[in-house]
Amino acid sequence: MDAALRQLTDQIDQATQRLLDTARIITEPDLRAPSLLPGWTRAHVLAHLARGADAMRNLLVGVRSGQERPAYVSAEARQADIEHGAGMRADELMADLADSAMALRTIARQLPNEGWQVPVRILDSAPFPAAQLPTRRLVEVELHHCDLGAGYGPADWPAAFASLELAEPMRSQRQDRLSYPPSPATKLRSPARPPAPWNPNRPLPGSWLGTR
């Protein structure tokens, strides 16, 4: 993994930590409340993030094996999986969110350098190099964290993400979130913690996965 990709994956670690800090303290009733995305509850947003991590992991597993593997079986299966996740109990959904993020992190850190140039696709998208997946994941985590409407907003984005050069449609999607109302003064999330150092021979310490 080159320095630029490693820097992106470190940013994903930090963004994921912030997301988990927020998600773990959303109460069960608040989890079922509407998010800032029309038609989706907060649980739908978190389930979408979990399945998005699984989809990217599927692609990287395919790259590593040399056998093409789809991100999702189909668009219909993707939606069904999100609906299923949105119906989970809070503790199950938090575990799913953390586990899926960890599984993606593990395969990304282990992928050989040449694998990042292999073309992949998500559903009916045009092929793109696997090296674009970390940027897509960082954008997905940061933007959907805002979509929760749970105390994290564009003002909380790190400068590195707020100024990150993005291609369309990600640039416009980030711009759209700037119209969200300011985050409340009293935030739901706990203080941010730095990401745990990566070691390929050991699991991450509990700080990244909470007390699980």
PDB file of all heavy atoms in Angstrom, residues 38-64:
ATOM      1  N   PRO A  38     -34.512  11.236   3.223  1.00  0.00           N
ATOM      2  CA  PRO A  38     -35.954  10.953   3.115  1.00  0.00           C
ATOM      3  C   PRO A  38     -36.257   9.455   3.036  1.00  0.00           C
ATOM      4  O   PRO A  38     -35.636   8.732   2.246  1.00  0.00           O
ATOM      5  CB  PRO A  38     -36.350  11.669   1.820  1.00  0.00           C
ATOM      6  CG  PRO A  38     -35.329  12.749   1.659  1.00  0.00           C
ATOM      7  CD  PRO A  38     -34.049  12.176   2.190  1.00  0.00           C
ATOM      8  N   GLY A  39     -37.178   9.016   3.878  1.00  0.00           N
ATOM      9  CA  GLY A  39     -37.621   7.629   3.836  1.00  0.00           C
ATOM     10  C   GLY A  39     -36.773   6.660   4.627  1.00  0.00           C
ATOM     11  O   GLY A  39     -37.124   5.483   4.715  1.00  0.00           O
ATOM     12  N   TRP A  40     -35.675   7.126   5.193  1.00  0.00           N
ATOM     13  CA  TRP A  40     -34.777   6.246   5.947  1.00  0.00           C
ATOM     14  C   TRP A  40     -34.702   6.672   7.410  1.00  0.00           C
ATOM     15  O   TRP A  40     -34.583   7.863   7.713  1.00  0.00           O
ATOM     16  CB  TRP A  40     -33.371   6.266   5.356  1.00  0.00           C
ATOM     17  CG  TRP A  40     -33.160   5.224   4.298  1.00  0.00           C
ATOM     18  CD1 TRP A  40     -34.109   4.470   3.697  1.00  0.00           C
ATOM     19  CD2 TRP A  40     -31.901   4.850   3.720  1.00  0.00           C
ATOM     20  NE1 TRP A  40     -33.528   3.635   2.774  1.00  0.00           N
ATOM     21  CE2 TRP A  40     -32.188   3.846   2.762  1.00  0.00           C
ATOM     22  CE3 TRP A  40     -30.589   5.265   3.910  1.00  0.00           C
ATOM     23  CZ2 TRP A  40     -31.183   3.239   2.004  1.00  0.00           C
ATOM     24  CZ3 TRP A  40     -29.589   4.664   3.147  1.00  0.00           C
ATOM     25  CH2 TRP A  40     -29.888   3.654   2.207  1.00  0.00           C
ATOM     26  N   THR A  41     -34.739   5.682   8.284  1.00  0.00           N
ATOM     27  CA  THR A  41     -34.466   5.931   9.699  1.00  0.00           C
ATOM     28  C   THR A  41     -32.955   5.961   9.913  1.00  0.00           C
ATOM     29  O   THR A  41     -32.174   5.644   9.009  1.00  0.00           O
ATOM     30  CB  THR A  41     -35.071   4.808  10.563  1.00  0.00           C
ATOM     31  OG1 THR A  41     -34.390   3.584  10.252  1.00  0.00           O
ATOM     32  CG2 THR A  41     -36.569   4.658  10.316  1.00  0.00           C
ATOM     33  N   ARG A  42     -32.565   6.299  11.136  1.00  0.00           N
ATOM     34  CA  ARG A  42     -31.136   6.228  11.463  1.00  0.00           C
ATOM     35  C   ARG A  42     -30.632   4.795  11.320  1.00  0.00           C
ATOM     36  O   ARG A  42     -29.490   4.561  10.896  1.00  0.00           O
ATOM     37  CB  ARG A  42     -30.893   6.739  12.882  1.00  0.00           C
ATOM     38  CG  ARG A  42     -31.109   8.239  13.047  1.00  0.00           C
ATOM     39  CD  ARG A  42     -30.717   8.685  14.447  1.00  0.00           C
ATOM     40  NE  ARG A  42     -30.784  10.134  14.582  1.00  0.00           N
ATOM     41  CZ  ARG A  42     -31.700  10.776  15.301  1.00  0.00           C
ATOM     42  NH1 ARG A  42     -32.630  10.080  15.953  1.00  0.00           N
ATOM     43  NH2 ARG A  42     -31.694  12.087  15.392  1.00  0.00           N
ATOM     44  N   ALA A  43     -31.472   3.829  11.667  1.00  0.00           N
ATOM     45  CA  ALA A  43     -31.079   2.425  11.531  1.00  0.00           C
ATOM     46  C   ALA A  43     -30.819   2.070  10.071  1.00  0.00           C
ATOM     47  O   ALA A  43     -29.896   1.296   9.763  1.00  0.00           O
ATOM     48  CB  ALA A  43     -32.162   1.519  12.121  1.00  0.00           C
ATOM     49  N   HIS A  44     -31.617   2.616   9.150  1.00  0.00           N
ATOM     50  CA  HIS A  44     -31.376   2.369   7.730  1.00  0.00           C
ATOM     51  C   HIS A  44     -30.008   2.905   7.309  1.00  0.00           C
ATOM     52  O   HIS A  44     -29.281   2.247   6.546  1.00  0.00           O
ATOM     53  CB  HIS A  44     -32.454   3.043   6.875  1.00  0.00           C
ATOM     54  CG  HIS A  44     -33.743   2.292   6.786  1.00  0.00           C
ATOM     55  ND1 HIS A  44     -34.800   2.561   7.617  1.00  0.00           N
ATOM     56  CD2 HIS A  44     -34.143   1.282   5.971  1.00  0.00           C
ATOM     57  CE1 HIS A  44     -35.810   1.758   7.318  1.00  0.00           C
ATOM     58  NE2 HIS A  44     -35.439   0.966   6.322  1.00  0.00           N
ATOM     59  N   VAL A  45     -29.659   4.092   7.771  1.00  0.00           N
ATOM     60  CA  VAL A  45     -28.371   4.685   7.410  1.00  0.00           C
ATOM     61  C   VAL A  45     -27.227   3.804   7.898  1.00  0.00           C
ATOM     62  O   VAL A  45     -26.264   3.528   7.153  1.00  0.00           O
ATOM     63  CB  VAL A  45     -28.247   6.108   7.990  1.00  0.00           C
ATOM     64  CG1 VAL A  45     -26.849   6.671   7.739  1.00  0.00           C
ATOM     65  CG2 VAL A  45     -29.304   7.030   7.384  1.00  0.00           C
ATOM     66  N   LEU A  46     -27.308   3.335   9.137  1.00  0.00           N
ATOM     67  CA  LEU A  46     -26.239   2.495   9.684  1.00  0.00           C
ATOM     68  C   LEU A  46     -26.178   1.152   8.974  1.00  0.00           C
ATOM     69  O   LEU A  46     -25.086   0.628   8.704  1.00  0.00           O
ATOM     70  CB  LEU A  46     -26.442   2.313  11.185  1.00  0.00           C
ATOM     71  CG  LEU A  46     -26.339   3.595  12.017  1.00  0.00           C
ATOM     72  CD1 LEU A  46     -26.641   3.309  13.487  1.00  0.00           C
ATOM     73  CD2 LEU A  46     -24.949   4.231  11.870  1.00  0.00           C
ATOM     74  N   ALA A  47     -27.338   0.582   8.653  1.00  0.00           N
ATOM     75  CA  ALA A  47     -27.357  -0.683   7.919  1.00  0.00           C
ATOM     76  C   ALA A  47     -26.754  -0.506   6.525  1.00  0.00           C
ATOM     77  O   ALA A  47     -26.029  -1.381   6.026  1.00  0.00           O
ATOM     78  CB  ALA A  47     -28.783  -1.217   7.827  1.00  0.00           C
ATOM     79  N   HIS A  48     -27.048   0.616   5.899  1.00  0.00           N
ATOM     80  CA  HIS A  48     -26.471   0.914   4.589  1.00  0.00           C
ATOM     81  C   HIS A  48     -24.949   0.988   4.670  1.00  0.00           C
ATOM     82  O   HIS A  48     -24.240   0.468   3.790  1.00  0.00           O
ATOM     83  CB  HIS A  48     -27.053   2.237   4.085  1.00  0.00           C
ATOM     84  CG  HIS A  48     -26.343   2.790   2.887  1.00  0.00           C
ATOM     85  ND1 HIS A  48     -26.285   2.146   1.674  1.00  0.00           N
ATOM     86  CD2 HIS A  48     -25.652   3.949   2.725  1.00  0.00           C
ATOM     87  CE1 HIS A  48     -25.595   2.879   0.809  1.00  0.00           C
ATOM     88  NE2 HIS A  48     -25.195   3.968   1.431  1.00  0.00           N
ATOM     89  N   LEU A  49     -24.427   1.617   5.708  1.00  0.00           N
ATOM     90  CA  LEU A  49     -22.980   1.711   5.879  1.00  0.00           C
ATOM     91  C   LEU A  49     -22.348   0.336   6.078  1.00  0.00           C
ATOM     92  O   LEU A  49     -21.266   0.051   5.560  1.00  0.00           O
ATOM     93  CB  LEU A  49     -22.642   2.629   7.053  1.00  0.00           C
ATOM     94  CG  LEU A  49     -22.759   4.124   6.753  1.00  0.00           C
ATOM     95  CD1 LEU A  49     -22.761   4.928   8.047  1.00  0.00           C
ATOM     96  CD2 LEU A  49     -21.600   4.567   5.858  1.00  0.00           C
ATOM     97  N   ALA A  50     -23.019  -0.516   6.837  1.00  0.00           N
ATOM     98  CA  ALA A  50     -22.505  -1.869   7.049  1.00  0.00           C
ATOM     99  C   ALA A  50     -22.476  -2.653   5.742  1.00  0.00           C
ATOM    100  O   ALA A  50     -21.482  -3.322   5.415  1.00  0.00           O
ATOM    101  CB  ALA A  50     -23.351  -2.595   8.093  1.00  0.00           C
ATOM    102  N   ARG A  51     -23.555  -2.565   4.979  1.00  0.00           N
ATOM    103  CA  ARG A  51     -23.599  -3.310   3.721  1.00  0.00           C
ATOM    104  C   ARG A  51     -22.661  -2.707   2.676  1.00  0.00           C
ATOM    105  O   ARG A  51     -22.136  -3.419   1.817  1.00  0.00           O
ATOM    106  CB  ARG A  51     -25.025  -3.347   3.171  1.00  0.00           C
ATOM    107  CG  ARG A  51     -26.042  -4.030   4.091  1.00  0.00           C
ATOM    108  CD  ARG A  51     -25.830  -5.523   4.244  1.00  0.00           C
ATOM    109  NE  ARG A  51     -24.652  -5.886   5.026  1.00  0.00           N
ATOM    110  CZ  ARG A  51     -24.596  -5.847   6.365  1.00  0.00           C
ATOM    111  NH1 ARG A  51     -25.634  -5.424   7.077  1.00  0.00           N
ATOM    112  NH2 ARG A  51     -23.501  -6.224   6.997  1.00  0.00           N
ATOM    113  N   GLY A  52     -22.444  -1.405   2.754  1.00  0.00           N
ATOM    114  CA  GLY A  52     -21.463  -0.786   1.864  1.00  0.00           C
ATOM    115  C   GLY A  52     -20.070  -1.307   2.123  1.00  0.00           C
ATOM    116  O   GLY A  52     -19.286  -1.544   1.188  1.00  0.00           O
ATOM    117  N   ALA A  53     -19.722  -1.498   3.397  1.00  0.00           N
ATOM    118  CA  ALA A  53     -18.418  -2.070   3.741  1.00  0.00           C
ATOM    119  C   ALA A  53     -18.305  -3.492   3.218  1.00  0.00           C
ATOM    120  O   ALA A  53     -17.270  -3.892   2.674  1.00  0.00           O
ATOM    121  CB  ALA A  53     -18.215  -2.035   5.256  1.00  0.00           C
ATOM    122  N   ASP A  54     -19.374  -4.267   3.365  1.00  0.00           N
ATOM    123  CA  ASP A  54     -19.370  -5.637   2.850  1.00  0.00           C
ATOM    124  C   ASP A  54     -19.174  -5.649   1.336  1.00  0.00           C
ATOM    125  O   ASP A  54     -18.455  -6.501   0.796  1.00  0.00           O
ATOM    126  CB  ASP A  54     -20.690  -6.331   3.177  1.00  0.00           C
ATOM    127  CG  ASP A  54     -20.807  -6.749   4.634  1.00  0.00           C
ATOM    128  OD1 ASP A  54     -19.789  -6.720   5.361  1.00  0.00           O
ATOM    129  OD2 ASP A  54     -21.928  -7.108   5.043  1.00  0.00           O
ATOM    130  N   ALA A  55     -19.832  -4.734   0.646  1.00  0.00           N
ATOM    131  CA  ALA A  55     -19.732  -4.684  -0.810  1.00  0.00           C
ATOM    132  C   ALA A  55     -18.296  -4.411  -1.253  1.00  0.00           C
ATOM    133  O   ALA A  55     -17.772  -5.069  -2.167  1.00  0.00           O
ATOM    134  CB  ALA A  55     -20.671  -3.612  -1.361  1.00  0.00           C
ATOM    135  N   MET A  56     -17.655  -3.449  -0.607  1.00  0.00           N
ATOM    136  CA  MET A  56     -16.273  -3.137  -0.965  1.00  0.00           C
ATOM    137  C   MET A  56     -15.337  -4.286  -0.598  1.00  0.00           C
ATOM    138  O   MET A  56     -14.378  -4.583  -1.325  1.00  0.00           O
ATOM    139  CB  MET A  56     -15.848  -1.835  -0.289  1.00  0.00           C
ATOM    140  CG  MET A  56     -16.574  -0.626  -0.826  1.00  0.00           C
ATOM    141  SD  MET A  56     -15.960   0.931  -0.117  1.00  0.00           S
ATOM    142  CE  MET A  56     -17.132   2.094  -0.829  1.00  0.00           C
ATOM    143  N   ARG A  57     -15.623  -4.934   0.504  1.00  0.00           N
ATOM    144  CA  ARG A  57     -14.818  -6.098   0.872  1.00  0.00           C
ATOM    145  C   ARG A  57     -14.975  -7.193  -0.182  1.00  0.00           C
ATOM    146  O   ARG A  57     -13.982  -7.833  -0.568  1.00  0.00           O
ATOM    147  CB  ARG A  57     -15.242  -6.627   2.240  1.00  0.00           C
ATOM    148  CG  ARG A  57     -14.488  -7.884   2.664  1.00  0.00           C
ATOM    149  CD  ARG A  57     -14.928  -8.369   4.030  1.00  0.00           C
ATOM    150  NE  ARG A  57     -14.244  -9.598   4.382  1.00  0.00           N
ATOM    151  CZ  ARG A  57     -14.633 -10.832   4.023  1.00  0.00           C
ATOM    152  NH1 ARG A  57     -15.738 -10.973   3.294  1.00  0.00           N
ATOM    153  NH2 ARG A  57     -13.950 -11.885   4.389  1.00  0.00           N
ATOM    154  N   ASN A  58     -16.183  -7.428  -0.652  1.00  0.00           N
ATOM    155  CA  ASN A  58     -16.389  -8.424  -1.704  1.00  0.00           C
ATOM    156  C   ASN A  58     -15.521  -8.130  -2.925  1.00  0.00           C
ATOM    157  O   ASN A  58     -14.905  -9.039  -3.503  1.00  0.00           O
ATOM    158  CB  ASN A  58     -17.860  -8.442  -2.130  1.00  0.00           C
ATOM    159  CG  ASN A  58     -18.759  -9.122  -1.123  1.00  0.00           C
ATOM    160  OD1 ASN A  58     -18.314  -9.912  -0.300  1.00  0.00           O
ATOM    161  ND2 ASN A  58     -20.051  -8.824  -1.184  1.00  0.00           N
ATOM    162  N   LEU A  59     -15.474  -6.871  -3.316  1.00  0.00           N
ATOM    163  CA  LEU A  59     -14.670  -6.499  -4.477  1.00  0.00           C
ATOM    164  C   LEU A  59     -13.194  -6.777  -4.244  1.00  0.00           C
ATOM    165  O   LEU A  59     -12.500  -7.306  -5.122  1.00  0.00           O
ATOM    166  CB  LEU A  59     -14.886  -5.022  -4.807  1.00  0.00           C
ATOM    167  CG  LEU A  59     -16.281  -4.637  -5.300  1.00  0.00           C
ATOM    168  CD1 LEU A  59     -16.379  -3.119  -5.469  1.00  0.00           C
ATOM    169  CD2 LEU A  59     -16.621  -5.340  -6.604  1.00  0.00           C
ATOM    170  N   LEU A  60     -12.696  -6.433  -3.054  1.00  0.00           N
ATOM    171  CA  LEU A  60     -11.272  -6.625  -2.769  1.00  0.00           C
ATOM    172  C   LEU A  60     -10.919  -8.101  -2.613  1.00  0.00           C
ATOM    173  O   LEU A  60      -9.815  -8.517  -2.978  1.00  0.00           O
ATOM    174  CB  LEU A  60     -10.875  -5.834  -1.525  1.00  0.00           C
ATOM    175  CG  LEU A  60     -10.965  -4.313  -1.664  1.00  0.00           C
ATOM    176  CD1 LEU A  60     -10.479  -3.630  -0.379  1.00  0.00           C
ATOM    177  CD2 LEU A  60     -10.163  -3.815  -2.863  1.00  0.00           C
ATOM    178  N   VAL A  61     -11.839  -8.889  -2.088  1.00  0.00           N
ATOM    179  CA  VAL A  61     -11.617 -10.336  -2.031  1.00  0.00           C
ATOM    180  C   VAL A  61     -11.495 -10.892  -3.446  1.00  0.00           C
ATOM    181  O   VAL A  61     -10.630 -11.739  -3.734  1.00  0.00           O
ATOM    182  CB  VAL A  61     -12.757 -11.036  -1.260  1.00  0.00           C
ATOM    183  CG1 VAL A  61     -12.689 -12.550  -1.450  1.00  0.00           C
ATOM    184  CG2 VAL A  61     -12.671 -10.701   0.221  1.00  0.00           C
ATOM    185  N   GLY A  62     -12.346 -10.408  -4.348  1.00  0.00           N
ATOM    186  CA  GLY A  62     -12.253 -10.833  -5.732  1.00  0.00           C
ATOM    187  C   GLY A  62     -10.942 -10.429  -6.372  1.00  0.00           C
ATOM    188  O   GLY A  62     -10.322 -11.206  -7.110  1.00  0.00           O
ATOM    189  N   VAL A  63     -10.494  -9.206  -6.094  1.00  0.00           N
ATOM    190  CA  VAL A  63      -9.208  -8.740  -6.616  1.00  0.00           C
ATOM    191  C   VAL A  63      -8.085  -9.635  -6.108  1.00  0.00           C
ATOM    192  O   VAL A  63      -7.211 -10.059  -6.878  1.00  0.00           O
ATOM    193  CB  VAL A  63      -8.962  -7.275  -6.211  1.00  0.00           C
ATOM    194  CG1 VAL A  63      -7.511  -6.883  -6.485  1.00  0.00           C
ATOM    195  CG2 VAL A  63      -9.918  -6.344  -6.952  1.00  0.00           C
ATOM    196  N   ARG A  64      -8.104  -9.940  -4.840  1.00  0.00           N
ATOM    197  CA  ARG A  64      -7.025 -10.747  -4.245  1.00  0.00           C
ATOM    198  C   ARG A  64      -7.003 -12.162  -4.811  1.00  0.00           C
ATOM    199  O   ARG A  64      -5.938 -12.731  -5.042  1.00  0.00           O
ATOM    200  CB  ARG A  64      -7.179 -10.796  -2.729  1.00  0.00           C
ATOM    201  CG  ARG A  64      -6.002 -11.477  -2.021  1.00  0.00           C
ATOM    202  CD  ARG A  64      -6.136 -11.407  -0.522  1.00  0.00           C
ATOM    203  NE  ARG A  64      -7.280 -12.174  -0.032  1.00  0.00           N
ATOM    204  CZ  ARG A  64      -7.604 -12.293   1.257  1.00  0.00           C
ATOM    205  NH1 ARG A  64      -6.869 -11.675   2.174  1.00  0.00           N
ATOM    206  NH2 ARG A  64      -8.654 -13.001   1.625  1.00  0.00           N
TER     207      ARG A  64
END
